[in-house]
């Protein structure tokens, strides 16, 4: 499931990649959505039926894709839009894959909501840009000194 990390209260497109690693095609995929994630929309998949089970507040707590098939040694992606919880922390999801032969596999999934502020990658990029800006100012100042020296030398 990606993204595995997000910012509090941010809406994102999630992608769950489901491979069929055995000899029997995947026939159903169930994703348990942890509270307090909010699912807004689920991508329409041709050849798959989608059903959303909701809690007492009307929030989606389980997404069920069925009726399609993922052949052996193949995969498909299931997407949906959801909002990360406001509270930072680690959240537990669970995916269950059912094969045509009746066997199932269960996959625990964790996502993390960072504490407020910019994402670490963005912060690193901003620091890099700040360093480049300072270097550019230094080069510009050196060029001004050279140009000034040339102009003064020309007047003599």
């Amino acid at each position: 499931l990606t993204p595995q990390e997000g910012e509090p209260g941010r809406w994102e497109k999630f992608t769950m990649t489901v491979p069929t690693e055995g000899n029997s095609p995947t026939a159903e995929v169930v994703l348990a959505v942890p509270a307090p994630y909010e699912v807004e929309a689920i991508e329409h998949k041709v050849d798959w039926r989608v059903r959303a089970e909701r809690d007492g507040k009307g929030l989606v707590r389980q997404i069920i894709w069925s009726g399609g098939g993922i052949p052996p040694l193949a995969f498909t992606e299931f997407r949906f839009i959801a909002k990360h919880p406001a509270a930072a922390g680690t959240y537990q999801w669970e995916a269950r894959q059912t094969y045509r032969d009746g066997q199932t596999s269960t996959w625990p999934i964790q996502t993390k909501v960072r504490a407020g502020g910019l994402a670490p990658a963005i912060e690193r990029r901003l620091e890099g840009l700040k360093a480049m800006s300072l270097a550019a100012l230094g080069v510009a100042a050196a060029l001004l000194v050279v140009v000034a020296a040339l102009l003064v030398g020309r007047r003599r």
Side-chain angles (χ1 to χ4, degrees):
L1 183 67
T2 57
Q4 291 182 326
E5 193 170 300
E7 294 180 29
R10 181 174 180 179
W11 289 96
E12 296 208 53
K13 177 177 68 173
F14 286 79
T15 302
M16 183 173 61
T17 303
V18 180
T20 296
E21 297 167 330
N23 294 323
S24 182
T26 297
E28 181 181 75
V29 177
V30 178
L31 180 65
V33 180
Y37 274 85
E38 293 181 37
V39 174
E40 177 68 21
I42 304 166
E43 179 185 45
H44 169 71
K45 298 270 310 162
V46 176
D47 297 331
W48 287 87
R49 287 185 306 276
V50 65
R51 190 172 86 239
E53 292 184 356
R54 299 175 183 273
D55 64 14
K57 295 179 183 176
L59 298 174
V60 173
R61 288 295 143 240
Q62 211 172 58
I63 305 171
I64 302 153
W65 291 274
S66 62
I70 307 169
L73 300 176
F75 73 93
T76 195
E77 294 178 333
F78 297 95
R79 291 184 269 277
F80 58 95
I81 296 171
K83 183 171 135 182
H84 290 285
T90 301
Y91 295 86
Q92 303 297 321
W93 305 63
E94 185 177 274
R96 187 180 71 243
Q97 185 173 5
T98 302
Y99 304 92
R100 286 218 177 103
D101 65 7
Q103 292 190 42
T104 61
S105 296
T106 301
W107 310 100
I109 302 166
Q110 278 190 349
T111 55
K112 185 180 205 177
V113 176
R114 291 185 297 273
L118 294 175
I122 294 172
E123 288 176 1
R124 284 192 300 278
R125 286 187 186 141
L126 289 175
E127 285 300 317
L129 289 173
K130 190 163 102 177
M132 288 188 334
S133 297
L134 291 174
L137 284 173
V139 169
L143 285 173
L144 284 174
V145 169
V146 170
V147 169
L150 288 173
L151 289 175
V152 168
R154 223 176 184 191
R155 288 185 182 165
R156 290 184 186 168

